[in-house]
Amino acid sequence: MSLRPTLDFLLYDWLHAETLASRERFADHSRETFDAVLDTCERIAREKYAPFNRTVDTQEPHFDGEKVILPQATHDAHKAFVESGMMSAAQDYDIGGMQLPYTVQAAANSFFAMASVSIGSNMLTSGNANLLMVHGTDMQKEVFAKNEFSGRWAGTMCLSEPQAGSSLSDVATRAVPDGEGFQDDPLGPRYRLTGNKMWISSGDHELTENIVHIVLAKIPDENGKLVPGTRGISLFIVPKRMVNTQGELTGERNDVALAGLNHKLGWRGTTNTLLNFGEGKYPVGGKAGAVGYLVGAPGKGLHCMFHMMNEARIGVGTAATMLGMAGYYASLDYAKSRPQGRLVKKPEGGEAKVVKDSAGPQVRIIEHADVRRMLLAQKAYCEGALALELYCARLVDEQKTGNEQAADEARLLLEVLTPIAKSWPSEWCLEANSLAIQVHGGYGYTRDFPVEQYWRDNRLNMIHEGTHGIQAADLLGRKVLMEKGRGLQLLAGRITETIGRAARVPALAAHAKALGEALQRVGSATEAAWSTGDPAEALVNAVPYMQAFGHTVLAWLWLDVAQRALELDPAQAAPATAGKMAAARYFFHYELPKNGAWLNVVESRDPTCTALPEEAF
């Protein structure tokens, strides 16, 4: 089954992406150029990524004592991606970009994520470079960002440490001024870093001639002590190999050493590393300490890093979505071809009972009601999640190129939706992968079919770039409250506008009513959670709040998508339209009712989880 018809509908029929070409930044583009990009990426994904998804899973990265070894397929896929220009697709012409809308870039990249999510880590490289384009100096943009956009160098994001994990206030990596005149280095104020970073994706490899690490570290105070909390965190560029102001390698290795590779459940094609900074293995200028160049102002590192982290969170959501989609397509194909069992039939008179036509031929398993339930659930989760990610991508374009009011509204909507865009697909598209295994039965639990790998790969997405608990605390503890709740009000306004339109469509009126009730319940639950003003009470059930909030958002998107599908095909004759209507119906009948259980504990600030003494667990 092809992803392309679904993408085309969401991009053009629903989001009207071709209208972006009327804006000055995208004036050279049209539906034709957008389609050419999609065609190219679809072809590369089909030829260079998909055939090697199992290869990179079984031939894990390994360190030979000098360098990290990756399969040749990974090198070939990276080369093809770089040559396509997609690394810098949304960037300005003058730095080699295409000035492509981010909406189209996100849609095009979904082909790679579905074909083999772990072959490349291009999301980190582009996110790293995008951060530098916003917060870096002109020289840092020229030397580091441009070489990343060209694909000549790769990029990472170095936040976590073995003792800190997601608790960034406990970062212990130190950065001290590198001698006299440190502040005058043309690449940025020069420091020496010492410390360890853990869980660093693509922290070491030979795909590119250099790796640009973006590193969080603390600058000691005048007494040599690290400032506690997050306010003391600064951000640094730490290249694997030293460079000059022309972007040329000097031949000297920076003091960044690979301490080990992490052996993962899934996503095995990408190296995941423990890096030691400044241990003295590769002394620079005869002394230990990794050379790093300050980005932005001292103590403002986390503010700069969130630019990359938020982009990465949308990327994680997209990866989760496409892994779910890959499992859905695989299980759908299997269900259409696998004969097993027979249908029950209505008995002729007598009391009601289950009767099977044991004499008849076996039927394909897609004809069984429970298999159809599992397939429809996957469709509702994955296509709904794809709509969410593309909607967020469209907001990015609006924030960058819309008028002042539209840009500000897009900014606020993205603030509220980013925790959902990261976490909802990573939970429910993982569930889709579990259902894909179930559709395959015993075969799904073997390595002979791809669905077990999709599940393993997808299990990471609930963890990295902020766990469910972190995203939920961010949503309920900050995002719905920021600017006096204006972002939440803005989102509610857009949902209400969709409800008003859909209520006039007979086939959607009941769904519109249900969504209105769900929206009102989320609003009242938000107020109830904060009614005592105690953050500890409000946030104790932040995850159920986020689950209900996310389901409400997805119900909204499905209602909007269904209405648009009916407008294109009022007779509902087309299979694609019938499929969208069924997925929307499934979501409203089977999923949205779950909100009640989730919000019950939120509204009552239920203390069950926190009240239990530790020794009672």
Side-chain angles (χ1 to χ4, degrees):
M1 186 172 180
S2 173
L3 170 66
R4 187 61 177 273
T6 299
L7 270 183
D8 283 347
F9 171 84
L10 293 174
L11 271 182
Y12 300 124
D13 295 321
W14 182 54
L15 291 175
H16 307 291
E18 71 280 4
T19 63
L20 289 169
S22 65
R23 301 187 179 184
E24 182 179 357
R25 178 170 181 78
F26 310 126
D28 292 337
H29 288 289
S30 63
R31 168 79 184 257
E32 184 178 3
T33 62
F34 295 162
D35 282 345
V37 170
L38 296 176
D39 290 343
T40 297
C41 292
E42 187 176 19
R43 176 184 56 77
I44 294 172
R46 182 176 61 249
E47 295 176 357
K48 299 295 185 180
Y49 283 69
F52 308 103
N53 190 44
R54 181 64 80 179
T55 300
V56 300
D57 184 64
T58 56
Q59 297 180 26
E60 294 185 65
H62 65 276
F63 183 53
D64 69 358
E66 294 184 4
K67 60 183 181 292
V68 173
I69 308 298
L70 292 168
Q72 183 60 41
T74 303
H75 291 264
D76 295 341
H78 181 266
K79 182 174 184 289
F81 183 86
V82 168
E83 290 177 350
S84 75
M86 288 304 295
M87 192 78 79
S88 59
Q91 300 304 312
D92 295 346
Y93 290 136
D94 59 8
I95 64 169
M98 302 181 197
Q99 294 189 190
L100 193 72
Y102 181 66
T103 309
V104 179
Q105 183 184 34
N109 283 336
S110 69
F111 288 114
F112 303 112
M114 191 171 81
S116 183
V117 74
S118 73
I119 276 187
S121 57
N122 304 309
M123 174 186 74
L124 288 173
T125 298
S126 61
N128 179 312
N130 284 333
L131 180 153
L132 294 178
M133 293 302 292
V134 174
H135 298 289
T137 65
D138 289 341
M139 180 66 75
Q140 289 170 345
K141 296 174 188 177
E142 187 68 31
V143 172
F144 297 105
K146 287 189 178 181
N147 276 308
E148 290 182 89
F149 282 135
S150 73
R152 182 183 166 207
W153 298 349
T156 72
M157 178 169 64
C158 299
L159 289 78
S160 298
E161 298 180 2
Q163 84 292 338
S166 298
S167 180
L168 297 180
S169 61
D170 297 315
V171 162
T173 298
R174 302 169 66 93
V176 298
D178 187 23
E180 291 187 16
F182 77 96
Q183 70 273 18
D184 299 323
D185 193 299
L187 292 177
R190 191 180 64 253
Y191 288 74
R192 292 277 182 155
L193 278 69
T194 55
N196 314 101
K197 293 293 181 178
M198 185 62 153
W199 313 118
I200 309 307
S201 294
S202 296
D204 204 356
H205 55 74
E206 299 296 317
L207 294 172
T208 55
E209 68 176 32
N210 205 1
I211 300 174
V212 180
H213 302 294
I214 293 288
V215 184
L216 289 182
K218 290 184 176 181
I219 302 171
D221 62 18
E222 60 274 9
N223 299 315
K225 296 183 177 179
L226 298 183
V227 178
T230 59
R231 61 188 178 88
I233 297 176
S234 301
L235 188 65
F236 300 88
I237 299 168
V238 183
K240 177 181 177 179
R241 294 181 172 88
M242 300 301 293
V243 303
N244 60 26
T245 56
Q246 304 303 310
E248 300 166 335
L249 303 185
T250 66
E252 189 172 24
R253 174 79 182 262
N254 202 358
D255 198 9
V256 183
L258 175 66
L261 296 174
N262 296 310
H263 303 287
K264 298 172 292 178
L265 172 72
W267 211 307
R268 295 174 178 173
T270 302
T271 58
N272 190 270
T273 62
L274 170 62
L275 298 177
N276 291 343
F277 290 80
E279 67 175 9
K281 184 174 183 179
Y282 303 104
V284 180
K287 64 178 183 179
V291 174
Y293 306 100
L294 182 68
V295 178
K300 300 296 183 182
L302 207 54
H303 168 74
C304 298
M305 183 62 89
F306 267 113
H307 182 94
M308 183 177 182
M309 289 168 67
N310 284 332
E311 181 176 323
R313 284 169 177 167
I314 295 175
V316 167
T318 301
T321 298
M322 301 320 298
L323 281 164
M325 196 78 82
Y328 167 52
Y329 288 162
S331 62
L332 178 60
D333 286 344
Y334 182 82
K336 288 180 176 180
S337 60
R338 166 70 171 171
Q340 185 171 311
R342 293 162 179 85
L343 298 180
V344 298
K345 65 178 183 178
K346 185 177 180 179
E348 298 179 1
E351 63 182 71
K353 59 181 179 179
V354 175
V355 178
K356 289 187 178 181
D357 182 12
S358 57
Q362 288 188 319
V363 297
R364 296 167 304 136
I365 62 173
I366 196 172
E367 297 181 56
H368 294 297
D370 194 54
V371 172
R372 296 170 75 85
R373 176 190 62 83
M374 291 187 285
L375 292 172
L376 197 51
Q378 292 179 67
K379 182 180 179 69
Y381 296 152
C382 300
E383 291 187 13
L386 183 57
L388 170 64
E389 301 305 327
L390 292 178
Y391 183 83
C392 288
R394 184 67 175 78
L395 289 175
V396 171
D397 284 323
E398 200 63 39
Q399 185 180 1
K400 292 180 178 179
T401 64
N403 60 43
E404 185 176 354
Q405 179 181 344
D408 185 58
E409 290 183 356
R411 172 190 64 83
L412 263 177
L413 284 168
L414 276 170
E415 290 280 9
V416 175
L417 288 175
T418 294
I420 304 300
K422 188 275 177 187
S423 288
W424 198 93
S426 70
E427 178 171 5
W428 297 99
C429 293
L430 178 68
E431 173 62 16
N433 287 134
S434 182
L435 291 171
I437 292 173
Q438 192 74 9
V439 169
H440 280 75
Y443 289 112
Y445 201 64
T446 71
R447 289 189 294 272
D448 299 313
F449 288 81
V451 287
E452 60 85 26
Q453 183 184 343
Y454 296 144
W455 187 93
R456 285 189 292 103
D457 285 345
N458 214 350
R459 189 58 188 80
L460 174 62
N461 291 314
M462 288 182 73
I463 300 171
H464 69 164
E465 300 307 330
T467 62
H468 259 29
I470 289 172
Q471 300 297 335
D474 182 44
L475 177 66
L476 180 55
R478 192 167 73 89
K479 295 298 179 64
V480 299
L481 304 177
M482 66 186 300
E483 300 184 25
K484 298 182 178 180
R486 194 162 70 90
L488 181 57
Q489 293 166 12
L490 184 62
L491 178 61
R494 297 213 173 180
I495 295 174
T496 300
E497 191 274 333
T498 298
I499 291 172
R501 283 188 287 103
R504 297 190 290 271
V505 181
L508 301 176
H511 299 337
K513 182 175 183 293
L515 179 57
E517 292 169 352
L519 178 61
Q520 185 177 23
R521 185 79 187 276
V522 167
S524 63
T526 307
E527 294 179 2
W530 284 103
S531 60
T532 65
D534 184 347
E537 288 188 6
L539 298 179
V540 67
N541 292 300
V543 167
Y545 175 84
M546 183 175 69
Q547 289 170 314
F549 196 110
H551 262 47
T552 302
V553 168
L554 266 291
W556 164 50
L557 295 175
W558 265 120
L559 186 62
D560 206 49
V561 164
Q563 182 175 3
R564 184 60 183 145
L566 288 179
E567 290 171 349
L568 296 178
D569 180 22
Q572 302 183 38
T577 297
K580 290 178 178 63
M581 288 297 296
R585 191 179 309 117
Y586 176 89
F587 202 88
F588 276 91
H589 289 181
Y590 289 75
E591 294 295 329
L592 193 59
K594 295 175 181 177
N595 278 21
W598 289 323
L599 294 179
N600 282 343
V601 295
V602 176
E603 291 169 337
S604 64
R605 300 177 301 285
D606 188 289
T608 300
C609 298
T610 55
L612 185 66
E614 183 176 328
E615 59 272 15
F617 276 92

